[in-house]
Amino acid sequence: YMRHEEFFRINRILKDHNKKLFVNPRNAAAGTLRRIYSTPVKDAELNFFAYGWGFGEIMNFNSQYGVLMFLKDSEFMVHEDVRLCRSVNELLETFRDFEFRRSGLDHDIDGVVYKVDRLDWQARMGVRSTTPRWAIAHKFPAEQATTILEGIDIQVGRTGALSPVARLRPVTVGGVVVSNATLHNEDYIAGRGASGEPIREGRDLRVGDTVTVYRAGDVIPKVIDVDLAARPKDAVPYVFPEICPVCGSPAVREAGEAVRRCTGGLICAAQVAERLKHFVSRSALDIEGLGTKQIEAFHAEGLIGTPADVFRLADHQEALLRRDAKGKATNQKSVDNLLAAIEARRASELHRFIFALGIRHVGETTAKLLARHYGSWDAFQAAMTAAAADEAVRAELIGIDGVGETLANAVIAFFADAHNADALTRLMAEVSPLDAVQPTAGTSPVAGKTVVFTGKLERMSRDEAKARAEALGAKVSGSVSAKTDLLVAGPGAGSKLKKASELGIETLSEDEWLSLVGDA
């Protein structure tokens, strides 16, 4: 993090050299780590608080607080206000104390984080794809400001979602100048919630309105309310477009969806560029040197229009040498480095490749589930193509623990689309995704078997049981089929147990399962 004093010092230097100033210490700290400072600033100072640890064994500790005190005794910097609370009231008292002292700290904070102290409880509660279940943030109330809504623009994302953005008369909110803010979707503009309930007491938003703005989490600007008394007499209700502003294709809103989406698919320039950015992004193929600006420039020049074109950039070396994404002269070395980075991704990990395709509802965690279940790209593609007409194949997809009807429909629709099929054919001529690496299970008696858990488990949580089975090389499914090898049934088991009995599938009690895998 960057202290306030250092932040002001850095901005004074930048101002003296007529350079763009940082808007807050958070951005300045990020800029320091990414080394985006201009020449005048070479010695920016960052500070560090230890609050956790990565890989490795914590010797003889059973609590988060104990580890932090050990780190502090080992001369790591630990925040002096870390506290061990033993009741909800103590947590809330700590929160209110921080809120009161917030302005006197030498660094920015936007709230506190409550964590379960016992490490064994942390392990039992587990983590989601990006956040732990054993920690939760309690944010301070956001600062607010009033300004004029000067316009509403529509942005089209890589999935075709039409996202409204408020263009605001610039106003300072929490020390940051805000000129744009998210408006979420057409219902939010109309004063309706996701289920049709009124928000802002049903008040809609119109161009020319006086609106209240805040920064959610002290970061994302949002419009929270409107002053009807100050509404111009000529203000008219905003009509959300039903035609994509980029390609002119119909923009439809499916039943139960809050978002309206362009149906243009790969013919929509906005989606093509955004899909390509996603394709090469860090969590997807992670092609170093091919960032947002490069993608936009290469797409504008007609060098890339589909994912396959990324791997054909070597055919355009003359154009690549002519200039880079910012219009500056480039050199052969930088071009060679980019092409080498692209070449290295022809054989990417299967889950990264699946995620890179940008299939709706398929995030990183789901991509890993699909990769592990099907094992190879050929098996995955064949199954997804067949699933549109083969109910058994579709049932197998939905049977994957963590895959539901909505996700399955999205994946099947992606492979059934002719434009996508053509793009995939061209792409597969350029790449060879690696087969998924299956967990090493040694001589586990359940390695390679498909296991279903049903009923109430009494000696472990359902997540613990699934994690243990997968660690031993088993595939965990959410439904019983002819491909199921084992059903583990606890008290209260119902339809799954009945179906397993009809299919002659081996059924185990929780104790029998634990005995089988060696945990009895």
Side-chain angles (χ1 to χ4, degrees):
Y1 70 96
M2 181 175 284
R3 293 178 297 109
H4 293 152
E5 181 181 346
E6 178 68 359
F7 170 68
F8 295 135
R9 185 185 75 85
I10 294 301
N11 268 353
R12 284 196 300 269
I13 295 174
L14 294 175
K15 183 177 180 180
D16 289 344
H17 288 80
N18 295 317
K19 299 293 185 179
K20 184 177 179 180
L21 306 185
F22 284 102
V23 296
N24 55 45
R26 174 191 175 118
N27 288 1
T32 301
L33 291 173
R34 299 203 308 262
R35 297 184 179 182
I36 64 173
Y37 276 117
S38 303
T39 304
V41 182
K42 297 180 180 179
D43 60 345
E45 178 185 293
L46 292 183
N47 295 79
F48 168 78
F49 284 132
Y51 65 92
W53 56 96
F55 296 100
E57 295 183 2
I58 303 298
M59 299 180 294
N60 302 321
F61 289 106
N62 57 18
S63 76
Q64 177 91 17
Y65 188 78
V67 175
L68 292 181
M69 293 304 100
F70 166 75
L71 293 174
K72 184 176 181 179
D73 292 342
S74 302
E75 299 187 356
F76 285 96
M77 294 301 296
V78 175
H79 202 288
E80 61 183 9
D81 285 310
V82 171
R83 300 182 190 179
L84 183 61
C85 300
R86 302 187 182 280
S87 69
V88 173
N89 284 337
E90 284 189 47
L91 292 176
L92 295 178
E93 287 173 6
T94 298
F95 176 82
R96 287 189 287 268
D97 179 50
F98 267 107
E99 187 177 15
F100 177 76
R101 297 190 298 111
R102 178 184 185 185
S103 60
L105 298 175
D106 71 346
H107 54 277
D108 284 349
I109 61 172
D110 63 357
V112 300
V113 177
Y114 307 132
K115 297 181 179 180
V116 171
D117 189 44
R118 283 180 50 170
L119 299 185
D120 58 337
W121 286 2
Q122 288 187 10
R124 185 164 186 174
M125 295 173 77
V127 298
R128 305 177 189 88
S129 58
T130 58
T131 58
R133 292 190 178 92
W134 44 265
I136 187 170
H138 190 173
K139 300 286 189 176
F140 298 133
E143 294 187 40
Q144 300 180 356
T146 301
T147 188
I148 303 299
L149 176 59
E150 297 185 330
I152 298 177
D153 294 345
I154 300 295
Q155 296 179 345
V156 183
R158 69 176 178 84
T159 63
L162 273 61
S163 301
V165 176
R167 300 304 179 198
L168 305 170
R169 183 172 297 171
V171 61
T172 299
V173 185
V176 176
V177 177
V178 171
S179 57
N180 302 322
T182 178
L183 292 176
H184 302 290
N185 52 56
E186 58 188 284
D187 283 344
Y188 190 82
I189 296 174
R192 297 188 298 267
S195 302
E197 74 280 6
I199 57 175
R200 300 185 302 273
E201 297 181 353
R203 295 185 291 271
D204 67 337
L205 300 174
R206 305 182 184 184
V207 174
D209 274 344
T210 297
V211 295
T212 302
V213 182
Y214 77 108
R215 292 172 63 226
D218 281 357
V219 179
I220 303 171
K222 295 185 178 181
V223 174
I224 190 174
D225 208 350
V226 57
D227 183 358
L228 292 184
R231 171 169 286 173
K233 293 182 179 180
D234 58 350
V236 296
Y238 180 76
V239 179
F240 205 88
E242 297 183 359
I243 299 295
C244 174
V246 175
C247 70
S249 299
V252 300
R253 181 177 175 181
E254 297 177 4
E257 289 281 335
V259 177
R260 188 174 293 275
R261 299 178 187 276
C262 167
T263 59
L266 294 179
I267 70 166
C268 179
Q271 292 185 66
V272 170
E274 293 304 315
R275 284 173 186 254
L276 289 171
K277 291 176 191 176
H278 173 76
F279 184 73
V280 304
S281 65
R282 183 170 297 177
S283 299
L285 290 199
D286 190 20
I287 299 180
E288 188 174 351
L290 194 56
T292 296
K293 295 185 184 302
Q294 286 78 11
I295 289 292
E296 290 174 350
F298 295 159
H299 178 254
E301 289 185 6
L303 300 181
I304 53 175
T306 68
D309 295 333
V310 170
F311 295 94
R312 296 171 183 160
L313 278 173
D315 298 337
H316 305 286
Q317 290 208 38
E318 184 176 329
L320 297 181
L321 278 169
R322 190 163 59 249
R323 65 175 181 81
D324 66 9
K326 295 182 180 179
K328 299 178 181 178
T330 188
N331 55 57
Q332 187 65 52
K333 183 178 180 180
S334 62
V335 171
D336 289 344
N337 288 341
L338 173 60
L339 297 179
I342 293 172
E343 194 66 25
R345 293 297 182 266
R346 288 186 183 273
S348 62
E349 296 169 280
L350 180 58
H351 70 272
R352 282 182 171 271
F353 183 75
I354 292 173
F355 177 63
L357 295 177
I359 304 172
R360 193 176 173 204
H361 300 303
V362 176
E364 294 177 67
T365 299
T366 304
K368 289 178 181 178
L369 289 175
L370 295 171
R372 183 173 182 273
H373 182 85
Y374 291 101
S376 70
W377 170 256
D378 288 342
F380 175 63
Q381 184 180 33
M384 297 307 98
T385 302
D390 191 324
E391 189 56 38
V393 178
R394 186 177 187 279
E396 179 184 353
L397 171 61
I398 296 176
I400 300 173
D401 191 60
V403 175
E405 290 278 355
T406 300
L407 193 150
N409 290 339
V411 178
I412 293 170
F414 177 87
F415 280 87
D417 183 88
H419 294 293
N420 292 334
D422 179 60
L424 282 174
T425 298
R426 285 181 282 169
L427 177 58
M428 297 316 299
E430 304 291 337
V431 300
S432 300
L434 302 172
D435 290 351
V437 178
Q438 300 296 335
T440 301
T443 57
S444 164
V446 296
K449 293 187 176 182
T450 298
V451 181
V452 175
F453 293 92
T454 187
K456 180 176 175 59
L457 301 182
E458 299 177 316
R459 295 178 57 185
M460 54 187 167
S461 70
R462 185 70 64 86
D463 286 339
E464 286 176 308
K466 292 175 182 177
R468 177 63 174 153
E470 290 175 347
L472 292 172
K475 294 181 179 179
V476 178
S477 177
S479 61
V480 175
S481 70
K483 293 187 177 182
T484 303
D485 297 298
L486 291 172
L487 178 77
V488 181
S495 59
K496 292 179 183 177
L497 179 60
K498 180 180 178 181
K499 186 172 183 180
S501 177
E502 293 172 350
L503 294 173
I505 294 168
E506 182 180 359
T507 300
L508 303 178
S509 67
E510 183 178 2
D511 287 341
E512 289 171 332
W513 162 259
L514 291 174
S515 178
L516 175 65
V517 298
D519 281 346

